[in-house]
Amino acid sequence: QVQLVESGGGSVQAGGSLRLSCTVSGYTYDRYCMGWFRQAPGKQREGITTVDRDGVITYADSVKGRFTISRDNAKNTLYLQMNSLIPEDTAMYYCAARLGYCSGVLHPSWEYNYWGRGTQVTVSS
């Protein structure tokens, strides 16, 4: 059974930091490109960053320079370090797995095979 479980969300003030984790099980982790998405109320789910099977990383402009994605294939875990948080970062954050390579592209959500249930991040001003 495939499972992706996010953790690490919470409430912080603007300028603060959070580190999200996503632990995966039930499939061969290193065969998948891994990504983080977020969805704010009333908005579409947005892909913000991916780390590919070969370590290539891609960021959306909205988080570039503030967020850092990493993956530990030995631990089957994906991370998202979020610094300099702003209220606009408030959303539910999801990790997702896409079979194969992402090749430096932020693919749309429907191209991902597996999803976690999300963890809430709230940033107050």
Side-chain angles (χ1 to χ4, degrees):
Q1 181 181 359
V2 175
Q3 279 193 315
L4 286 75
V5 180
E6 302 96 336
S7 61
S11 297
V12 296
Q13 289 192 325
S17 298
L18 284 172
R19 188 191 195 207
L20 307 183
S21 298
C22 172
T23 302
V24 305
S25 61
Y27 66 90
T28 307
Y29 179 62
D30 59 6
R31 293 180 60 194
Y32 289 75
C33 173
M34 299 298 299
W36 286 98
F37 286 74
R38 66 185 181 186
Q39 188 167 18
K43 294 190 176 181
Q44 288 190 332
R45 191 166 295 191
E46 171 193 19
I48 57 173
T49 182
T50 60
V51 56
D52 219 330
R53 297 169 59 186
D54 56 4
V56 172
I57 290 174
T58 304
Y59 294 102
D61 288 343
S62 58
V63 304
K64 196 175 296 182
R66 301 187 299 120
F67 290 10
T68 302
I69 190 173
S70 60
R71 64 189 291 170
D72 186 334
N73 288 348
K75 295 182 178 179
N76 286 3
T77 302
L78 178 72
Y79 303 98
L80 183 66
Q81 178 66 43
M82 304 187 295
N83 298 329
S84 302
L85 284 161
I86 58 178
E88 290 76 13
D89 294 320
T90 295
M92 185 73 78
Y93 283 71
Y94 301 88
C95 65
R98 181 179 183 274
L99 182 64
Y101 288 90
C102 285
S103 304
V105 176
L106 291 174
H107 292 272
S109 59
W110 57 84
E111 293 193 16
Y112 281 74
N113 303 94
Y114 302 115
W115 290 85
R117 300 183 71 173
T119 186
Q120 178 67 38
V121 171
T122 303
V123 184
S124 59
S125 58

